[in-house]
């Protein structure tokens, strides 16, 4: 397919080529239509836009810096690696760009209750945060297995006034939390807004979550011009559901000379079967309301995934990434747990920045890409979150008791 | 869809209408409580008065289902039940029952992974009459086109929240029967406002050539009887699946099906 303008997607039915759409039960069609209508109206409303911009500036702390990681680059011995510091946002990740937007939307739509799904707890915390600020009741669905693994984030959500509901169905992880949140929404739609945390789910979520995160790429593109006088040679970001990657990729989609590389979680290696690389190792299917690449068995049952990073541990991926993969506009490569760990330590030691395990996959990818380029090359890497939340996981993996 | 159609589903609904009876459409999850019990359960349902059988194809992520059917799905998946097994059981059922229509109900991913065309051909050959894909709304109708081409009826859902223009479109596309979800929620919840449902179903029956079956929240003889006053058929799922859970042999299944379904059949025929 020849694409003239990548910014023209999705179409009105929420399709990115053959991907996306609204594959949901009939009972969800009306709430989705209501949401699409409200979002389409408000996204161009000057008052709404001004309110969102104010929150992004004064509450989230935008713009986030663009930082040339000079010692890391020298240590790697290749092109210059430049980090977009989303880890410096309030709550420590890009997730809040989206929750601030959706919570404002909820308030404008007169919904006093918000719900969210969460895996590692980052999106849950970001949702509980904005709910507290706007005085909205907040319920977060979280797999029972994840609750056990992420006790600190569970407590953070509770401190922020949210109710955390354990999900015990299926594999008791993120995908099951998403199912349960959809069930809640369908039952309580009159007063409830569902804040999905990634660029997946039925239309309009993939478009809307991308739009709220696209500020990352818009800022980075302008900052590259200001600081380096040109665009990067390559942009890289980690991809679980894919919201931070869509956020930074979007502004560059029509810059055909800029290579876009997504780093998926290869876990213990793609050949091991223990990974979460839906694009690199999955196939087109339908999950959580959209057609996209999924990890499933030959019977079409969704399979359990593995990654050291809970935030990448998801068997689907946003439909726009599926589209970018098939059209060749972006590439998706696997980064293993070990490679991510190595990048984590390297960034800590050379730059004094402790990245999230998710973002460590992007750093690992950036390191590989930098090695392929000459010294005056430029690799832009989305440092999507900070790693404080991961210190227990890392210590445990390295056999250290805290 | 006319009485003249020789499609098994259409013939069954035409006969119900001719006899002034309300259809009874029980739902079970294929492979639950145990794979070897599915075919005996289907026969037991017919013996206890079922007019159409809805057979659920288990899926790992049944986002529109409540806990009862979720758990039934999980149990079936632990037994390794997939689309191929479900079709085998329909084929086996057909050896002894050429008349009772069978509708498969499930989610799109297993069907897509098999290939919609391949699935449609195999299902029709096995003796399936209709397919209800929970997560394939009318907007995505093109995806389901091979079902119709294979002679299967595509069963559509409508809900209290379905907007008027979409309801009209669903009524136009409806075939076999139109499944009215009686409230906006997941399967197995217990909320019924009979008057509101009656009003809505009357409207749909005016617009649709296909008969209307009402489900979601029908649990027993009383709620079934209330629905029967205005619907062409009543669907019973979660309460039945719950009553079958834990059954270990065919005799037990038959006894439970009889105990559960007979009073409902009697209430519908009263």
């Amino acid at each position: 397919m020849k694409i003239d303008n990548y910014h023209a997607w999705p179409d009105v039915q929420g399709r990115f080529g053959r991907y996306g759409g609204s594959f949901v039960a009939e009972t969800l069609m009306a709430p989705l239509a209501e949401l699409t209508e409200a979002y389409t109206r408000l996204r161009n409303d000057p008052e709404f836009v001004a309110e969102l911009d104010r929150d992004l500036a004064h509450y989230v702390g935008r713009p986030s810096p663009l930082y040339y990681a000079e010692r890391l680059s020298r240590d790697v011995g290749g092109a210059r690696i430049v980090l977009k510091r989303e880890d410096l946002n309030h709550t420590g990740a890009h997730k809040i760009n989206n929750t601030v937007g959706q919570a404002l939307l909820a308030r404008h739509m007169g919904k006093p209750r918000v719900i969210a799904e969460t895996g590692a707890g980052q999106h849950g915390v970001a949702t509980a945060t904005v709910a507290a600020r706007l005085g909205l009741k907040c319920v977060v669905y979280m797999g029972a297995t994840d609750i056990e693994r992420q006790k600190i984030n569970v407590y953070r959500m509770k401190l922020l006034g949210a109710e955390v509901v354990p999900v015990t169905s299926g594999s008791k992880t993120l995908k099951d939390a998403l199912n349960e949140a959809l069930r809640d929404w369908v039952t309580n739609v009159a007063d409830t807004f569902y804040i999905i945390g990634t660029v997946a789910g039925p239309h309009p979520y993939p478009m809307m979550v991308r739009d709220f995160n696209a500020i990352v790429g818009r800022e980075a593109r302008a900052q590259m011009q200001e600081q380096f006088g040109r665009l990067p040679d390559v942009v890289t970001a980690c991809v679980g559901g894919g919201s931070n990657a869509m956020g930074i990729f979007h502004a560059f989609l029509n810059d055909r000379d800029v290579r876009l590389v997504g780093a998926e979680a290869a876990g213990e290696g793609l050949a091991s079967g223990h990974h979460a690389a839906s694009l690199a190792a999955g196939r087109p299917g339908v999950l959580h309301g959209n057609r996209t690449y999924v990890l499933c068995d030959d019977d079409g049952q969704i399979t359990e995934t593995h990654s050291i990073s809970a935030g990448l541990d998801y068997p689907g991926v946003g439909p726009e990434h599926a589209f970018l993969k098939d059209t060749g506009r972006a590439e998706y490569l696997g980064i293993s747990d070990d490679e991510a760990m190595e990048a984590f330590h390297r960034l800590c030691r050379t730059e004094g920045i402790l990245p999230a395990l998710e973002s460590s996959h992007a750093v690992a990818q950036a390191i590989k890409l930098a090695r392929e380029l000459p010294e005056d090359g430029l690799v832009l890497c989305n440092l999507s979150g900070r790693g404080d939340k991961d210190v227990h996981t890392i210590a445990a993996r390295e056999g250290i008791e805290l | 869809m006319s009485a003249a159609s020789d499609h098994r589903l259409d013939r069954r609904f035409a006969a119900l209408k001719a006899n002034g009876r309300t259809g009874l459409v029980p739902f079970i999850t294929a492979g639950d409580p145990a794979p070897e019990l599915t075919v005996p359960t289907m026969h037991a349902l017919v013996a206890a008065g079922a007019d159409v059988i809805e057979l659920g194809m288990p899926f790992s992520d049944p986002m529109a289902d409540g806990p009862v059917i979720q758990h039934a799905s999980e149990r079936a998946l632990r037994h390794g039940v997939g689309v191929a097994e479900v079709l085998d059981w329909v084929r086996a059922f057909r050896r002894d029952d050429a008349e009772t229509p069978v509708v498969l109900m499930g989610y799109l991913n297993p069907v897509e992974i098999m290939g919609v065309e391949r699935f449609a051909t195999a299902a029709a050959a096995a003796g399936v009459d209709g397919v209800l894909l929970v997560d394939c709304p009318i907007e995505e109708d093109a995806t389901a086109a091979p079902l119709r081409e294979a002679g299967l009826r595509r069963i559509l859902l409508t809900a209290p929240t379905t907007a008027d223009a979409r309801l009209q479109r669903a009524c136009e596309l409806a075939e076999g029967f139109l499944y009215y979800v009686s409230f906006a929620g997941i399967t197995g919840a217990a909320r019924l406002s009979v008057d509101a449902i009656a009003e809505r179903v009357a409207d749909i029956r005016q617009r649709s050539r296909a008969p209307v079956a009402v489900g979601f929240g029908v649990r027993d003889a009383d709620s079934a009887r209330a629905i029967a006053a205005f619907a062409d058929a009543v669907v019973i799922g979660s309460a039945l699946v719950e009553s079958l859970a834990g059954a270990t042999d065919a005799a037990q299944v038959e006894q439970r099906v009889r105990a559960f379904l007979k009073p409902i059949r009697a209430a519908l025929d009263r």
Side-chain angles (χ1 to χ4, degrees):
Chain A
M1 190 179 347
K2 179 165 175 347
I3 310 289
D4 294 322
N5 174 16
Y6 276 95
H7 290 162
W9 306 83
D11 66 15
V12 288
Q13 287 184 302
R15 295 209 179 91
F16 302 89
R18 62 182 293 223
Y19 300 104
S22 304
F23 293 92
V24 294
E26 180 58 30
T27 40
L28 273 176
M29 292 305 291
L32 288 170
E34 183 195 4
L35 175 60
T36 305
E37 186 280 318
Y39 175 62
T40 310
R41 179 165 43 82
L42 288 165
R43 71 195 289 193
N44 296 316
D45 178 276
E47 259 177 62
F48 181 84
V49 172
E51 204 176 352
L52 179 60
D53 286 348
R54 265 198 310 278
D55 281 0
L56 289 172
H58 303 298
Y59 189 66
V60 175
R62 303 209 69 89
S64 68
L66 187 80
Y67 170 71
Y68 169 35
E70 198 172 350
R71 288 196 72 234
L72 172 68
S73 304
R74 268 212 307 273
D75 189 51
V76 171
R80 292 167 289 174
I81 298 172
V82 182
L83 303 174
K84 179 62 174 164
R85 297 291 308 275
E86 289 300 295
D87 60 317
L88 295 177
N89 293 337
H90 180 41
T91 71
H94 73 287
K95 291 284 184 194
I96 194 142
N97 299 320
N98 169 47
T99 58
V100 159
Q102 289 200 49
L104 270 186
L105 203 51
R107 201 176 63 180
H108 276 267
M109 290 174 72
K111 310 275 184 184
R113 178 175 180 266
V114 295
I115 57 171
E117 83 294 338
T118 198
Q122 290 307 101
H123 173 59
V125 168
T127 302
T129 299
V130 294
R133 175 159 174 271
L134 296 180
L136 303 169
K137 183 173 163 33
C138 178
V139 175
V140 179
Y141 288 92
M142 189 166 181
T145 306
D146 289 334
I147 285 182
E148 201 48 45
R149 290 193 288 200
Q150 302 286 340
K151 286 180 186 157
I152 292 177
N153 270 345
V154 173
Y155 185 55
R156 283 172 81 191
M157 287 184 265
K158 287 179 179 166
L159 288 173
L160 292 160
E163 180 193 347
V164 180
V165 179
V167 176
T168 56
S169 56
S171 57
K172 306 180 177 63
T173 58
L174 175 59
K175 75 177 180 71
D176 309 285
L178 213 153
N179 290 329
E180 205 56 40
L182 283 168
R183 293 181 189 116
D184 177 311
W185 196 33
V186 102
T187 310
N188 301 300
V189 69
D191 73 342
T192 297
F193 188 105
Y194 179 15
I195 301 185
I196 291 188
T198 191
V199 286
H203 181 63
Y205 284 101
M207 169 181 78
M208 183 169 71
V209 177
R210 174 202 71 194
D211 291 350
F212 285 135
N213 274 305
I215 189 165
V216 178
R218 280 199 305 275
E219 283 177 8
R221 195 173 181 282
Q223 289 166 322
M224 287 299 302
Q225 295 280 18
E226 277 163 34
Q227 294 182 30
F228 298 94
R230 69 171 178 97
L231 297 181
D233 299 296
V234 53
V235 181
T236 189
C238 63
V239 178
S243 64
N244 90 80
M246 254 350 286
I248 198 161
F249 285 176
H250 193 251
F252 294 97
L253 288 178
N254 287 329
D255 301 316
R256 305 301 170 95
D257 295 338
V258 178
R259 193 177 159 203
L260 306 175
V261 180
E264 288 194 296
E268 294 164 10
L270 295 184
S272 72
H274 298 135
H275 60 79
S278 316
L279 289 162
R283 47 182 149 185
V286 173
L287 177 67
H288 292 145
N290 66 97
R291 182 175 282 124
T292 186
Y293 278 78
V294 300
L295 291 169
C296 67
D297 64 20
D298 291 340
D299 279 335
Q301 308 300 342
I302 304 302
T303 45
E304 288 184 28
T305 51
H306 165 82
S307 167
I308 187 176
S309 142
L312 302 182
D313 213 345
Y314 179 62
V317 65
E320 192 164 8
H321 286 297
F323 174 65
L324 295 178
K325 173 190 161 82
D326 281 12
T327 56
R329 180 63 192 96
E331 302 148 71
Y332 297 88
L333 306 172
I335 293 292
S336 70
D337 289 351
D338 290 343
E339 290 172 317
M341 284 303 304
E342 200 274 330
F344 170 87
H345 285 301
R346 200 160 189 163
L347 190 64
C348 286
R349 286 193 316 265
T350 57
E351 298 287 350
I353 295 172
L354 207 141
L357 283 175
E358 291 79 7
S359 319
S360 299
H361 288 70
V363 175
Q365 189 62 62
I367 290 170
K368 285 187 176 180
L369 292 164
R371 286 195 183 117
E372 296 169 8
L373 288 167
E375 278 184 15
D376 62 348
L378 281 167
V379 176
L380 170 62
C381 171
N382 197 10
L383 197 71
S384 56
R386 68 174 184 230
D388 307 54
K389 69 181 175 62
D390 294 318
V391 293
H392 283 89
T393 306
I394 291 159
R397 183 183 166 91
E398 301 185 342
I400 295 159
E401 206 162 318
L402 297 181
Chain B
M1 264 121 303
S2 65
S5 163
D6 68 347
H7 195 278
R8 200 158 24 216
L9 254 178
D10 303 340
R11 276 206 317 264
R12 178 53 53 99
F13 274 99
L16 285 166
K17 192 174 181 188
N19 297 323
R21 298 179 79 209
T22 303
L24 177 55
V25 186
F27 168 96
I28 57 167
T29 298
D32 179 67
E36 68 276 10
L37 295 179
T38 297
V39 176
T41 306
M42 292 169 77
H43 288 303
L45 292 169
V46 175
D51 295 300
V52 176
I53 293 174
E54 254 192 50
L55 196 56
M57 298 185 283
F59 180 48
S60 53
D61 292 76
M63 63 182 181
D65 284 301
V68 170
I69 293 176
Q70 281 174 49
H71 292 145
S73 244
E74 286 171 20
R75 287 190 296 265
L77 289 175
R78 277 200 294 273
H79 286 119
V81 176
V83 174
E85 286 75 18
V86 177
L87 296 183
D88 281 347
W89 295 330
V90 174
R91 203 174 297 115
F93 173 75
R94 277 278 167 260
R95 284 201 280 271
D96 299 309
D97 188 328
E99 284 307 310
T100 309
V102 174
V103 171
L104 298 183
M105 183 165 178
Y107 292 80
L108 197 48
N109 199 57
V111 172
E112 283 228 339
I113 295 303
M114 182 172 177
V116 183
E117 266 174 53
R118 214 181 120 214
F119 167 82
T121 310
V128 172
D129 303 288
V131 176
L132 194 168
L133 294 170
V134 178
D135 52 354
C136 191
I138 52 176
E139 282 74 3
E140 308 293 353
D141 207 54
T143 298
L147 300 177
R148 290 199 180 89
E149 284 154 22
L152 297 165
R153 297 288 187 242
R154 166 149 145 84
I155 310 302
L156 294 171
L157 291 162
T158 62
T161 50
T162 303
D164 199 66
R166 295 189 66 253
L167 181 64
Q168 187 59 38
R169 178 92 184 112
C171 288
E172 283 159 14
L173 288 172
E175 52 180 24
F177 62 91
L178 195 58
Y179 189 144
Y180 181 68
V181 175
S182 60
F183 63 89
I186 52 176
T187 54
R191 288 184 296 173
L192 277 177
S193 157
V194 171
D195 290 347
I197 300 169
E199 198 177 310
R200 187 74 166 180
V201 171
D203 178 36
I204 296 172
R205 287 181 77 192
Q206 289 237 315
R207 300 195 206 190
S208 166
R209 293 170 301 167
V212 180
V214 176
F216 276 51
V218 185
R219 302 192 61 80
D220 50 25
D222 286 347
S223 49
R225 175 75 204 145
I227 299 294
F230 51 82
D232 297 296
V234 172
V235 184
I236 301 194
S238 299
L240 172 61
V241 170
E242 199 164 26
S243 80
L244 294 178
T248 50
D249 59 45
Q252 222 172 21
V253 161
E254 278 158 31
Q255 186 267 325
R256 291 193 195 183
V257 164
R258 233 184 355 258
F260 183 87
L261 221 53
K262 283 251 171 173
I264 297 171
R265 179 77 264 173
L268 293 180
D269 292 342
R270 201 156 60 219

